[in-house]
Amino acid sequence: MALGQLEDRLKDKKIVIYGAGIWASVFYTYLRLLELDSNIVCFVVTTMQRLNTSLHDKSIRQYDEIKNELADCFVVIAIKNAEDLMDSLSCDHNGGLYCLTESQMEEIRGFIFSYYANMPIQRNKILVDCFGGRNGYSCNPKYIIEKLLEKRYPVEVVWNVLDRKKWEFPDGVRAIVYNSPEYFQELYTAGIVIDNSGVSSFPYKRPEQYAIHTWHGTGPFKKVGVAEYKGDKENIALMKKRHSFVDVFISNSKDNTEMFRESFCYDGEIYECGSPRCDILFQENHIKEKVYETFGIAPNKKILLYAPTFRGEWNRSENISTFKWYDLNMKQVLDALSQRFGEEFILMYRFHHALYEHNQSPDFYPDGIDVTFYPDIMELIVAADVMITDYSSAMWDFSLQRRPVFLYHNDEREYADDRGFYWPISRWPYPNARTCEELCETIREFDEGKYLERLEQFFQDDPSYDDGHAADRVAERIIDVIEHPEKYGKEYGL
């Protein structure tokens, strides 16, 4: 069915959108621009998981609980690769049933772009896309915006979120809901766009807009982009298209620059100025005291931050997830730390937010503090004395402070086969172990002098550009683009 034919069929129908993710939100925006949003009954999902109960002011309902109420509705499945779902729903709906295709979603995105592309661009407006709206005010974009606000530059900042109620923002930053009509209007009329993950990189871009990509990790650790896809032609083409819209990448190290070129297929400008989020690692501040006060930690205690990375494995039918890899006996680990460093340690643990989206929140370490949803991991990195991780690039940030990092690799072979590494683990400077017992022994025998020697060699082999002033440099670039767009080929459409 052509998109125009679908539009005609929906005009006099009660509409149910099956899905509550990106496709569903984009389709909602499309219907609203067609002035059909009043026809929408609700969004429906297979299971509620940890989703909100509403999206764009429409309720989200669990399908099995209300399917009998929807018999006369036209159900549009707005989920990628949902042909099997289409088959399972086919007998339930007299009102109609349709599954959107990828080509139709591309057409819908083009329609939305065309709708807003004739509106004037506001040069001093900055649209921030941080982790696709999932993590609130955090990462590199946070520190760039803080610097702009601190210097009282005349900018207007708009920050996309999945849930406006969940996150707090400072004065001068306005939150909007990701993939809403308001979001697309702000996106296509902003003079500057900052993105840190590529999750929602421009499907389209106006030539007058200046796009800054900060990325969100560094270090020659787990592979990303083309390197992760192992040369898959379709993903290589997607990577090239996605990053062809970027005007400048922000790099904080030699490996970052190489990664942007090779893994993201990017041939534009790379600004080797450091990571804005790492500036706080080189400056005097009160962040450690803030974290201690927030969680009620006694000042005589030390902090172990356990921050493992995400693994893609998930099997809902067997109710297992990557939590199975996080099997450390933390009492034994904390005892080993106390023996080695002569101090009492408390545990903070931070899982990848995507795990909790699978409706798994197991109170995993009852004696520890779950900081998964603390908005800014960099503040936790400043506060912590020791880090344990596996393959997370947070190890790089943490070790810029020259503090101990220990690696727990109980699935090294599986992870290497699935994801792969830029440098072999043997070149990483951090002590590593494959069992809890081995980790505890490694901690007890930790030689700080040898560790620092390996760390210095590591940073010689892969130089870091971080010096505490990256945010200043990026903020100055933004103001220069706003005030002198002709220098960057952005003078048209003023």
Side-chain angles (χ1 to χ4, degrees):
M1 183 187 302
L3 200 57
Q5 292 175 305
L6 178 62
E7 176 188 337
D8 290 338
R9 290 194 64 181
L10 293 175
K11 285 181 178 177
D12 59 351
K13 296 283 189 179
K14 291 188 292 183
I15 304 168
V16 170
I17 301 176
Y18 202 118
I22 292 176
W23 276 33
S25 286
V26 173
F27 186 62
Y28 168 86
T29 294
Y30 171 69
L31 293 178
R32 183 161 155 185
L33 296 183
L34 295 176
E35 299 183 348
L36 294 176
D37 52 310
S38 60
N39 295 22
I40 300 172
V41 176
C42 64
F43 294 88
V44 296
V45 294
T46 304
T47 54
M48 290 299 290
Q49 300 180 25
R50 283 183 163 265
L51 294 170
N52 298 322
T53 57
S54 65
L55 180 64
H56 307 308
D57 298 322
K58 301 288 184 180
S59 64
I60 300 175
R61 308 289 300 278
Q62 188 163 333
Y63 180 76
D64 285 343
E65 295 178 359
I66 64 165
K67 65 179 181 180
N68 293 333
E69 303 172 29
L70 307 178
D72 61 340
C73 296
F74 197 105
V75 177
V76 179
I77 301 173
I79 302 173
K80 188 176 182 179
N81 299 325
E83 292 78 9
D84 291 345
L85 179 60
M86 175 81 171
D87 293 339
S88 68
L89 300 181
S90 58
C91 9
D92 290 339
H93 297 288
N94 301 321
L97 179 66
Y98 190 75
C99 185
L100 292 171
T101 65
E102 288 197 50
S103 62
Q104 286 176 325
M105 284 303 300
E106 183 71 14
E107 191 177 347
I108 287 170
R109 290 180 184 277
F111 176 87
I112 293 170
F113 172 75
S114 299
Y115 187 92
Y116 293 115
N118 292 321
M119 294 183 178
I121 284 179
Q122 185 178 334
R123 280 283 170 218
N124 70 333
K125 182 166 71 179
I126 303 170
L127 186 286
V128 178
D129 187 345
C130 184
F131 293 115
R134 287 180 172 84
N135 286 31
Y137 191 55
S138 64
C139 200
N140 287 308
K142 168 186 173 179
Y143 292 94
I144 296 169
I145 298 306
E146 281 194 342
K147 186 60 63 174
L148 290 165
L149 297 177
E150 174 193 317
K151 294 191 173 185
R152 299 183 182 276
Y153 286 134
V155 295
E156 178 182 338
V157 182
V158 184
W159 196 291
N160 79 311
V161 293
L162 292 180
D163 183 354
R164 203 195 311 260
K165 299 175 184 176
K166 185 176 181 180
W167 306 106
E168 294 183 1
F169 292 89
D171 292 342
V173 179
R174 178 163 50 89
I176 56 169
V177 177
Y178 180 41
N179 281 323
S180 65
E182 293 76 18
Y183 165 78
F184 284 109
Q185 180 171 345
E186 300 288 4
L187 171 63
Y188 292 128
T189 59
I192 308 286
V193 178
I194 302 175
D195 180 11
N196 82 326
S197 65
V199 171
S200 54
S201 295
F202 288 107
Y204 301 93
K205 176 190 165 192
R206 299 173 69 174
E208 306 96 318
Q209 296 181 292
Y210 190 79
I212 301 171
H213 200 319
T214 69
W215 195 232
H216 57 271
T218 193
F221 310 129
K222 59 185 180 183
K223 291 182 177 179
V224 298
V226 171
E228 179 187 357
Y229 297 137
K230 300 176 176 64
D232 179 271
K233 291 183 179 179
E234 182 178 345
N235 283 305
I236 289 173
L238 175 64
M239 199 65 60
K240 287 181 178 179
K241 179 180 179 182
R242 173 180 291 174
H243 296 106
S244 66
F245 298 114
V246 177
D247 289 287
V248 63
F249 263 95
I250 304 303
S251 171
N252 82 328
S253 60
K254 176 184 175 183
D255 79 86
N256 254 175
T257 297
E258 292 175 352
M259 179 189 70
F260 298 148
R261 293 288 186 221
E262 297 172 13
S263 293
F264 291 166
C265 305
Y266 179 71
D267 60 3
E269 182 188 0
I270 296 177
Y271 189 12
E272 295 179 324
C273 64
S275 281
R277 71 179 190 180
C278 289
D279 287 352
I280 61 171
L281 305 178
F282 298 84
Q283 301 166 351
E284 290 188 11
N285 52 61
H286 299 286
I287 290 173
K288 190 176 183 74
E289 293 89 338
K290 173 188 173 182
V291 172
Y292 270 67
E293 182 178 349
T294 298
F295 295 103
I297 300 170
N300 63 327
K301 302 288 181 66
K302 299 293 183 181
I303 294 176
L304 162 64
L305 177 60
Y306 177 47
T309 194
F310 179 64
R311 292 143 172 88
E313 175 188 326
W314 170 254
N315 188 328
R316 187 180 308 281
S317 63
E318 297 181 17
N319 197 31
I320 63 171
S321 77
T322 51
F323 279 113
K324 71 178 183 178
W325 296 111
Y326 312 138
D327 59 355
L328 282 174
N329 183 322
M330 281 300 176
K331 184 179 186 308
Q332 293 178 7
V333 172
L334 293 171
D335 286 346
L337 286 167
S338 295
Q339 291 173 36
R340 169 59 184 82
F341 296 101
E343 306 274 1
E344 184 177 350
F345 280 77
I346 63 98
L347 167 68
M348 286 185 167
Y349 61 97
R350 185 181 181 89
F351 292 131
H352 195 286
H353 62 266
L355 288 177
Y356 283 13
E357 291 172 3
H358 290 308
N359 201 31
Q360 297 242 334
S361 179
D363 192 20
F364 210 73
Y365 298 109
D367 295 330
I369 302 171
D370 187 349
V371 292
T372 298
F373 293 109
Y374 189 81
D376 189 350
I377 190 175
M378 295 307 298
E379 294 186 358
L380 302 177
I381 284 174
V382 170
D385 301 279
V386 174
M387 169 179 275
I388 295 176
T389 184
D390 40 26
Y391 316 107
S392 171
S393 64
M395 68 180 95
W396 171 289
D397 301 336
F398 194 90
S399 62
L400 287 172
Q401 305 172 107
R402 299 325 192 249
R403 296 177 187 169
V405 175
F406 298 94
L407 304 181
Y408 180 54
H409 292 158
N410 60 341
D411 66 340
E412 179 183 333
R413 180 175 297 177
E414 294 90 339
Y415 199 90
D417 290 342
D418 176 59
R419 188 79 176 252
F421 308 114
Y422 289 105
W423 286 10
I425 288 176
S426 60
R427 289 190 65 185
W428 304 0
Y430 315 106
N432 66 80
R434 289 163 181 78
T435 67
C436 185
E437 291 74 17
E438 185 181 345
L439 176 63
C440 292
E441 187 65 21
T442 299
I443 291 171
R444 284 190 288 265
E445 296 181 354
F446 175 67
D447 186 324
E448 185 175 17
K450 290 183 179 179
Y451 170 69
L452 291 176
E453 286 179 11
R454 289 198 67 185
L455 203 56
E456 294 310 318
Q457 184 61 55
F458 178 72
F459 285 128
Q460 286 182 34
D461 294 339
D462 188 4
S464 168
Y465 310 136
D466 289 308
D467 61 2
H469 301 287
D472 290 279
R473 298 181 183 109
V474 179
E476 289 168 5
R477 166 65 66 91
I478 288 171
I479 297 306
D480 197 40
V481 172
I482 292 172
E483 294 180 347
H484 305 286
E486 70 282 353
K487 287 172 57 176
Y488 304 90
K490 306 296 177 182
E491 68 274 29
Y492 303 105
L494 294 174

